[in-house]
């Protein structure tokens, strides 16, 4: 509401979408992740329509700066944005906890998603420590191997520095990385 004229104007003129599009999409994703249904067999996944808005917002921003951007439907370990890989790491930790403790009341996502999507350097290390306990509770060795493989891939792609603070653009990449890694894990399970 209230954004329709600005969005239509951006489409007609071929200009970037207003930042309010990303702000609202991210706020909706956070609220949905916080209120996720505990009866699900898999970790919560960000809303698909909100993620599509984020993709369009990012693509138009990059196009306006004459930069290339490729956003694939599944996790891309060659993506250049560190925030994207932080989101993917968060998705793996959420899947690890869900596999180890399917009946938990407040999971990793409900407790840490909002903080991780804004200040990943403060949260990623804590999630790594917590996951050690969760890995011990996974009953199927192949599942633990899958999660370790995904974590290794995402950490290698991330490199040696976790970003301390994410601006609006990087928060969008975080949400997309989380969604795409969750989709990949769900596809392989």
């Amino acid at each position: 509401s209230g954004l329709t004229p600005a969005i239509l104007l951006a489409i007609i003129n071929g200009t970037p979408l207003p930042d309010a599009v990303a702000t609202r999409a991210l706020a909706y994703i956070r609220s949905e992740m916080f209120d996720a249904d505990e009866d699900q067999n898999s970790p919560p996944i960000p809303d698909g329509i909100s993620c599509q808005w984020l993709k369009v917002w990012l693509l138009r921003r990059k196009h306006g700066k004459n930069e290339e951007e490729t956003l694939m439907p599944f996790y891309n370990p060659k993506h250049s944005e560190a925030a994207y890989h932080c989101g993917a790491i968060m998705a793996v930790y959420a899947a690890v906890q869900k596999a180890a403790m399917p009946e938990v009341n407040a999971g990793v996502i409900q407790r840490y998603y909002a903080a991780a999507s804004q200040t990943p350097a403060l949260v990623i290390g804590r999630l790594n420590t917590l996951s050690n306990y969760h890995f011990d509770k996974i009953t199927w060795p192949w599942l633990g191997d899958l999660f370790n493989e995904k974590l290794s891939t995402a950490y290698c792609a991330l490199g040696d520095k976790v970003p301390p603070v994410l601006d609006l653009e990087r928060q969008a990449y975080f949400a997309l990385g989380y969604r795409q890694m969750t989709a990949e894990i769900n596809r392989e399970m």
Side-chain angles (χ1 to χ4, degrees):
S1 143
L3 281 177
T4 306
I7 292 171
L8 288 175
L9 192 59
I11 292 170
I12 290 168
N13 293 329
T15 57
L17 296 176
D19 290 348
V21 169
T23 302
R24 288 187 185 182
L26 289 168
Y28 183 74
I29 287 170
R30 280 190 207 102
S31 71
E32 288 291 308
M33 300 294 276
F34 184 74
D35 294 334
D37 183 14
E38 284 120 20
D39 295 333
Q40 289 179 317
N41 291 335
S42 62
I45 189 165
D47 178 64
I49 293 173
S50 296
C51 286
Q52 290 301 321
W53 277 111
L54 292 175
K55 279 185 178 182
V56 170
W57 180 76
L58 286 167
L59 290 170
R60 285 183 162 268
R61 280 177 63 93
K62 294 292 183 176
H63 181 72
K65 298 176 186 176
N66 291 326
E67 296 175 6
E68 276 296 314
E69 178 60 72
T70 304
L71 295 170
M72 299 179 171
F74 291 106
Y75 179 68
N76 177 9
K78 294 181 181 174
H79 199 280
S80 62
E81 186 57 55
Y84 176 82
H85 302 296
C86 289
I89 290 167
M90 177 84 184
V92 178
Y93 286 139
V96 168
Q97 184 195 36
K98 195 66 170 176
M101 303 168 58
E103 303 297 324
V104 70
N105 287 337
V108 167
I109 296 305
Q110 289 80 10
R111 290 187 178 161
Y112 296 106
Y113 183 85
S117 69
Q118 296 170 355
T119 55
L122 294 176
V123 178
I124 296 289
R126 175 80 175 135
L127 293 176
N128 186 42
T129 302
L130 290 173
S131 74
N132 292 330
Y133 303 111
H134 297 146
F135 270 109
D136 292 340
K137 294 181 181 181
I138 295 176
T139 55
W140 298 291
W142 67 269
L143 194 54
D145 292 343
L146 173 71
F147 294 144
N148 275 321
E149 175 192 330
K150 297 299 179 191
L151 278 174
S152 295
T153 300
Y155 270 114
C156 286
L158 175 62
D160 59 352
K161 189 173 181 186
V162 178
V165 178
L166 301 181
D167 61 10
L168 186 63
E169 182 176 323
R170 281 161 188 78
Q171 288 177 36
Y173 281 116
F174 183 95
L176 293 174
Y178 179 93
R179 180 174 173 81
Q180 291 178 348
M181 181 58 89
T182 301
E184 187 170 311
I185 289 170
N186 290 343
R187 185 184 63 179
E188 292 185 23
M189 286 179 62

